[in-house]
Amino acid sequence: MKKLVISILFVMQVCFVFAQTGTGFSGKVVDSKTQKPLQNVVATIQNSNLTEITDAEGKFVFKSVPAGSQLLVVKSDGYKDQLLAIDVEQGKILDLGVVVLEEDVTEEQQLSLVTITDNDLGDDNSGSESTSGLLQASRDAFQQAAAFNWGLARFRIRGLDNENATTMINGVAMNKIYDGRPQWGNWGGLNDATRNQEFTMGSAPSDYTFGGILGTQEINTRASIYRPGSRVSFSGTNTNYSWRTMGTHASGMNKNGWAFVVSASRRWAQEGYFEGTDYSANSVFASVEKKINEKHSLNFTSIYAENSRGRNSPNTDEVNRIAGYRYNSYWGYQDGKKRNSRDRDVTEPILMLNHFWKVTNKTNITSGITHQFGKIGSSRIDNQGADNPDPTYYRNLPSYYTSLWNPDDYTDFQGDDPANIALAADAKFLNNRQLNWNEMYQANLSTADGHSAYILYEDRTDDKLWTANTVINSQLADNIVLNAGGTFKSLKSHNFANLLDLLGGQYYEDYDNFQVGNEQQSDLNNPNRKVGVGDTFAYNYNLMATTFEAFTQFKFTYKKVDFYLAQTYTKNQYQREGLYKNGLYPTNSFGKGDKISFENFGFKGGLTYKISGRHFLNFNGVYLTKAPSMRNVFPNARLNNNITLGIENENISSLDASYVIRTPKFKSRITAYMSSIKNATETSFFFGEGIFDDDNGDGGDAFVAETVTNIEKRNIGLELGMEYQLTSTIKLTANAAYGEYTYNNNPNVVLNNDNLASPTNTNPIIDFGQANLKGYRLSGGPQTAASFGIEYRDPKFWWIGANANYLANNYLDVSALLRTQNFFRNPLDNEGLPFPEATNERAKELLKQKEFNNFTLVNLTGGKSWKIKSSTFGFFASLNNVFDIQYKTGGFEQARNANFREVNQDVSSGTPAFAPKYFYGFGRSYFLNLYVNF
Amino acid sequence: MKKTILFLLGVMVMTSFTACSPEEDIKNPDFQPYKLFEDFTSNTTDGAVINLAGWTNFAEAGTVKWNQGIYYSDKYAEFTSFQSGQAVNIAWLVSPKINVESNSKLAFDVAQAYVSTAANSIELLVSTDFDGTNVTAANWTVVNFTKPPLNFDTNFDFFSSGLIDLSTYANQDVYLAFKVKGSGTNTSLDGTYSIDNVRIINKN
């Protein structure tokens, strides 16, 4: 009976082969090492919707392919893509034979790449973090260099901020509405689970969204596309954290139509690279798919990533000279343990339900409903009526004494008086470098009524976000593809201060001790509150946003030319709802404020001219307008409903041209680009001295919110990436980036001074006019980078690589206020006339933008893998910054000295008290990952 | 060959970038240095006669001239006819020669103490033909400025003269003079005047 069945099947099989009609081709995919067939490999015909997946025998077949030359892409994660040029003949199914896939080592690198997170510059508590470039690189050689080699130096591709890039999960954009940036920490520690990614660069077309000017990253978590199997890894490093374990299992689609993927990881460190930076992160991922029928499939994805880390401080050169470059002022000893006062806790789970609908062979519609909730908290110490506990508070440093000038005689330098030199030698910081928790507890215990003079609190942002979206992908004709989609988002962001620890006191009094009378109250509806742990205080408000976005895109493919056109429309509406009636702004802080709407549109297009199968030219251009972020629309959101005066949509445009070569041995791309962002806005908060007139003897000092509007930024440059396979085992890479990222106009500066708020002045802003920023470089990473690398791949499955990288032209962020007319204005002059000692030459010296030192980093990488039965064991190791170069990655001018005299005196002293603060990169660091796939 | 072309293209484009440096576009905020700035920091002795290089200190009537004023860290020029013993005291403090431009502005701080009548006056005068020595021989024109309030509550408090437009003297060399009139014998005319921070600057 069995034999009969088998022989019938055999005959049927043969008949089936003969009976196969149609136009197309078939093939079998195997692993280059083992020669075993690979299942779940994705084969796609480029520039079309046609996709097939290999079965358990590694086989795939395409039966209705347009005749003519087609490009077949065969990919599977963990393997290098295979590109095959095929001539399809009408009425025939061509047998391609065996398609061999080679293991991709860089995949290992990607899975091992440690998330690099910038610290918040200054004191802003935006929810997202600005990480360096892309976390995981695409196959493009230049982008790989940018991510792996230059990422640690905070290199940003094209000098653009991450708000210009779109990061999506299953077609849903994950950029935060508050500041436009993706919050990668939301899926941190889930490298395995998020390994299925698609990238586009610049404004090149994406299948899922219109995007911006820094490309798109789409993370696909559909359970059935993961190659079945399990993976466990264990890593050690000395960067952000010390240890990581991760485990992942993908089931593949079973015969009942179910597929699932689960992954979990833990990262932790008692102390990371910088002092006192503790780290603890747990992540869990689950994706479940049910194939309802051939046309419909449902997938549910849940992502939970909680991350708690102690941050490190930017420091002045003086502090780093005294305490070392790993110094961190945010921690102190408590009961023998290091306790960091500035913790950042992020827990924002994501739940996503996707529906995949294969409407016809040529049309797919993917829809989704997503809910994200959770919290972000940034902790810090508050001191009320007590000394500032910061060990690096300027009065604790030697420079305080050696930079003193006679307040009554601006020509009289007192920093060199023997008395001051003696005081400097005894400065508090020299022997008390860290936070003194004990001193704070003591202060709290000795207040007369038991209230806390010091507390630990956190600035919280608790978001609730609903997203509904749909993406259509349709092959309209043989050579025309339509992409279209729409997304609707609704956000309620609750922001408030949350008391964490009374530090030994009984309660905390909720009032602002820098104000008087009613103006002290944070909530006039509940005045004179005494608050305790877990209470909300100081400020409390909601930000609501609804956004709608739609796009359409047409892609045309011809023999010599491919081109595309796309357009988009977006509408954003924002509103603030105050939950406290603030004493400084009693009439415009409580309740719902005005709604403000922004409508925007965008167009883009581009073409690829195929000089030959191996050489092509690529052009892209885009023009779009973009709504300002909520953060810039509400400049003083903690205290009032005010909207930034005259805020407008940003105008963004970009052009790029590339020449690409792809031959088996040599791959290269050179790109020239230019992008322009107009009408941008930046906000910052600081305490400034000498800003206003000295009306009440305070020298014109105040704590202010600075809003700079109408900023125009221009980023132009070149990118060059080259990859040359010297021999079958040795590969050489060379990459270079040259950029000029500058301010291209003189934007406007407005300062908000809460001290001037009154019933008749509910928007106490002062216009400082134009800031002469034109020509200054934008800050944020090296504008020039070059790398040379060599990699050896031994046939016995081990490999090593080395690369040397040169990074240069990184500039310090400049203060806009210092470059307004106010710089010369003497606050003691009754007519606001300039300082008598000011000269143009000296001003030019004082205002000159600081450039960071150039430096060279050398990295080594290597790995080996073994196959035992059907499992693979292996390790990946990297040693970064082999020569332990100390380099600064970023920093900012302290705007405290806000005029010529203050800056001149401080700088002339030789030991400035308000010098810029800097962040450093990691010195010599390692990463070792041990893994097993089975 | 193709690689060479690529390389050359790259170099050409890169040199075109470096040719124009954005740093050349950087300008300071608008600033003009002072044409005249006198804050009397060279005062050494309170009450001593002012003897400043370039300035002329002249007593037209009586013998009292402008004196150095020092009060803690404040330094200024001061005139008082109080207890001078003379019936009429008139004193001039004349500035060095200044070349005025069309947008030149003058400002100074002025204080009074115990001045009870307008006749006990301070005036600002300008001359284009002062020869540097003979004050009374030159032609002087009165220029208005905001006088300090005659109020005992604000004795010795400095007030701004306001921003005085000197455009009528554009492109000429001028001298400024501060002329005070008082009396040592008439007690309603024996108040004190002080001036400080005499400054001329081009300002639009």
Side-chain angles (χ1 to χ4, degrees), chain A residues 802-863:
Chain A
N803 56 74
N805 306 278
Y806 173 72
L807 295 136
N809 291 349
N810 189 0
Y811 294 83
L812 187 69
D813 194 24
V814 290
S815 154
L817 177 65
L818 278 180
R819 287 155 181 85
T820 61
Q821 294 251 234
N822 184 73
F823 183 64
F824 290 109
R825 185 192 159 98
N826 185 349
L828 300 171
D829 187 301
N830 284 329
E831 293 297 325
L833 295 178
F835 296 103
E837 75 271 26
T839 63
N840 264 320
E841 292 70 37
R842 184 61 177 155
K844 197 166 173 184
E845 278 172 14
L846 295 174
L847 294 177
K848 186 163 186 238
Q849 184 171 29
K850 288 194 177 41
E851 185 180 341
F852 293 110
N853 290 336
N854 306 335
F855 55 94
T856 306
L857 296 178
V858 174
N859 305 321
L860 297 174
T861 51

Side-chain angles (χ1 to χ4, degrees), chain A residues 687-812:
Chain A
F687 184 81
E689 290 185 359
I691 300 179
F692 303 106
D693 289 337
D694 185 8
D695 290 333
N696 42 8
D698 60 10
D701 306 345
F703 191 77
V704 294
E706 173 195 84
T707 305
V708 186
T709 56
N710 191 29
I711 300 172
E712 186 179 321
K713 304 184 206 179
R714 191 188 66 164
N715 297 40
I716 59 175
L718 286 176
E719 296 175 341
L720 172 64
M722 296 195 290
E723 210 178 271
Y724 181 54
Q725 197 76 39
L726 186 65
T727 71
S728 59
T729 52
I730 298 178
K731 184 167 82 173
L732 300 175
T733 57
N735 297 285
Y738 177 78
E740 269 177 22
Y741 315 140
T742 54
Y743 287 100
N744 209 29
N745 75 339
N746 294 328
N748 212 65
V749 177
V750 159
L751 252 56
N752 180 91
N753 185 359
D754 290 333
N755 290 334
L756 300 177
S758 74
T760 47
N761 187 6
T762 56
N763 195 7
I765 56 170
I766 299 168
D767 189 350
F768 279 73
Q770 286 199 335
N772 281 25
L773 287 186
K774 182 167 180 173
Y776 280 96
R777 296 269 187 153
L778 300 176
S779 66
Q783 302 194 7
T784 298
S787 122
F788 181 72
I790 182 167
E791 191 180 279
Y792 172 76
R793 243 353 136 90
D794 192 277
K796 298 214 182 92
F797 311 123
W798 61 272
W799 61 279
I800 49 166
N803 56 74
N805 306 278
Y806 173 72
L807 295 136
N809 291 349
N810 189 0
Y811 294 83
L812 187 69

